[in-house]
Amino acid sequence: MRKSKFLSIFLAVFLSAALMAGCGSDTGRRNREVRIGMTVYDEYDTFLSELTEDFMADVAEVNAREQGTAVSVLRFNAAQSQITQNEQVEKMISKGCNVICVNLVDRTDPSMIIEMAREADIPVIFFNRELVEEDLMSWDRLYYVGADAFESGKIEGRTAAAYLKAHPETDRSGDGVIQYVVLEGEAGHQDSIVRSETSVDALIEEGIQIEKLESSIANWNRGQAQNRMGQLIDRHGDAIELVLANNDDMALGAADEYDRRETPAKERPAIIGIDGTKVGLEGVRNEKLIGTVYNDRKGQAEAMLKLALAVAAGEPADDLPLADGKYIRLPYAEITMENIDQYDN
Ligand code: GAL
């Protein structure tokens, strides 16, 4: 999709200033080094693996373009353990990282990481899994990059409502009410809580009569979602007319279960996700999903790198859209068959 003009301009200005201020005597050699430490809660999470890929591509672009600059990334997979993640941050600090990017395992437990970083005076950018405001405000070198969960749920609900209005046959029972199930991400994750609520609110606001049959937690995971969908079908049979999934992987897991059961297309519910991952887009293209909501991983990766380079150098990040001097949130966008060609990633 769009490539980073903003990033290029920012980096040109930032890096030339940094180089002028840096070890100028090493002309012609790599005389500016930024070491970024990065840890994700689970490297097998589809959305995060794509976001990391985008981030690494942006880093490679900076290194290729900016002579005399070497940005390196020390990457870790926390494999769903907060204790492991704390140890990884300790390692990053001992290996001399200038800035640390953390996708928390437990968003309610950043205290060890904050304490270690503060002691070593190394800024931390949390991303995607949002810590509580009180923790983020506890030190001035802490930041958050993500998106607005309320918006994603609203767009999901509105997109589903538009589809239902255009496809009255989705109400297979013909009772004027759409019976639905929700596939939820991790319990306690800001995106699961908010998306589950706001998607339903938006459907109601759009005037759709709905009835909730059940919701089930599938932890963002395609395999778990397929399993949960199997249980939901066993309990509710073909009464299910709409599946609202908190992300694309779970939406695809639901579709996988209907595939496994060889359910004909017109007997399936409408299924919708959030993320616009590569597999999610493919799901929309081949009509397994009625739509998805773009979670701007490219924008988030780009913002995180810009912020990382600025704060590592102790520069003010004035030209970045920082809310309260702390938050960068990228907007979501609707994706359906109508506009999917704009999303060729
Ligand atoms: C959400 C995303 C999910 C999953 C989760 C992990 O924003 O929609 O697919 O990646 O983050 O924290």
Side-chain angles (χ1 to χ4, degrees), residues 41 45-49 103-104 127-129 147 186 189-191 195 219-220 246-249 274-275 277 295 300 332:
Y41 90 105
D45 177 288
T46 308
F47 172 73
L48 282 160
S49 72
N103 174 234
L104 280 168
F127 65 102
N128 167 264
R129 298 162 74 89
E186 290 161 272
H189 190 299
Q190 84 278 353
D191 288 341
R195 288 173 184 173
N219 296 307
W220 309 121
N246 284 173
N247 79 342
D248 285 352
D249 265 17
I274 293 176
D275 274 346
T277 53
N295 189 356
Q300 291 166 48
Y332 285 94

Side-chain angles (χ1 to χ4, degrees), residues 122-339:
I122 297 167
V124 183
I125 302 171
F126 294 97
F127 65 102
N128 167 264
R129 298 162 74 89
E130 187 169 346
L131 60 171
V132 297
E133 195 182 341
E134 198 187 328
D135 286 327
L136 192 69
M137 295 301 171
S138 67
W139 183 40
D140 63 352
R141 302 195 83 189
L142 305 176
Y143 304 89
Y144 178 74
V145 174
D148 178 359
F150 285 88
E151 200 190 6
S152 57
K154 264 190 215 155
I155 298 176
E156 183 179 46
R158 279 189 209 136
T159 308
Y163 179 88
L164 294 168
K165 287 175 189 171
H167 296 85
E169 71 280 6
T170 314
D171 178 19
R172 284 193 313 274
S173 64
D175 63 355
V177 179
I178 296 295
Q179 278 74 25
Y180 72 97
V181 298
V182 183
L183 287 172
E184 295 183 5
E186 290 161 272
H189 190 299
Q190 84 278 353
D191 288 341
S192 321
I193 301 166
V194 172
R195 288 173 184 173
S196 299
E197 259 178 46
T198 51
S199 56
V200 170
D201 291 347
L203 278 163
I204 297 169
E205 271 163 33
E206 291 295 319
I208 308 288
Q209 301 288 316
I210 50 174
E211 180 194 353
K212 182 174 180 171
L213 297 174
E214 208 178 327
S215 62
S216 190
I217 294 176
N219 296 307
W220 309 121
N221 181 282
R222 185 167 179 161
Q224 279 186 43
Q226 177 171 359
N227 177 282
R228 301 292 179 276
M229 197 64 223
Q231 296 164 352
L232 292 167
I233 298 171
D234 289 345
R235 283 199 284 276
H236 304 286
D238 65 2
I240 305 168
E241 293 168 335
L242 171 67
V243 179
L244 292 171
N246 284 173
N247 79 342
D248 285 352
D249 265 17
M250 295 190 295
L252 291 164
D256 291 343
E257 182 57 16
Y258 283 98
D259 285 349
R260 194 186 67 80
R261 293 177 184 234
E262 297 180 2
T263 310
K266 59 179 188 326
E267 289 168 31
R268 296 185 183 204
I271 304 174
I272 185 161
I274 293 176
D275 274 346
T277 53
K278 289 172 188 161
V279 279
L281 294 177
E282 202 182 299
V284 175
R285 275 202 192 91
N286 62 26
E287 297 184 16
K288 303 254 176 196
L289 311 185
I290 59 161
T292 183
V293 182
Y294 190 61
N295 189 356
D296 187 358
R297 58 186 164 78
K298 285 183 189 290
Q300 291 166 48
E302 196 178 310
M304 189 155 72
L305 180 56
K306 284 189 260 182
L307 186 59
L309 295 178
V311 299
E315 300 274 317
D318 289 345
D319 54 345
L320 291 171
L322 271 175
D324 298 331
K326 293 276 186 182
Y327 292 93
I328 299 182
R329 291 187 203 276
L330 277 289
Y332 285 94
E334 175 187 88
I335 303 179
T336 62
M337 199 63 111
E338 306 290 305
N339 69 347

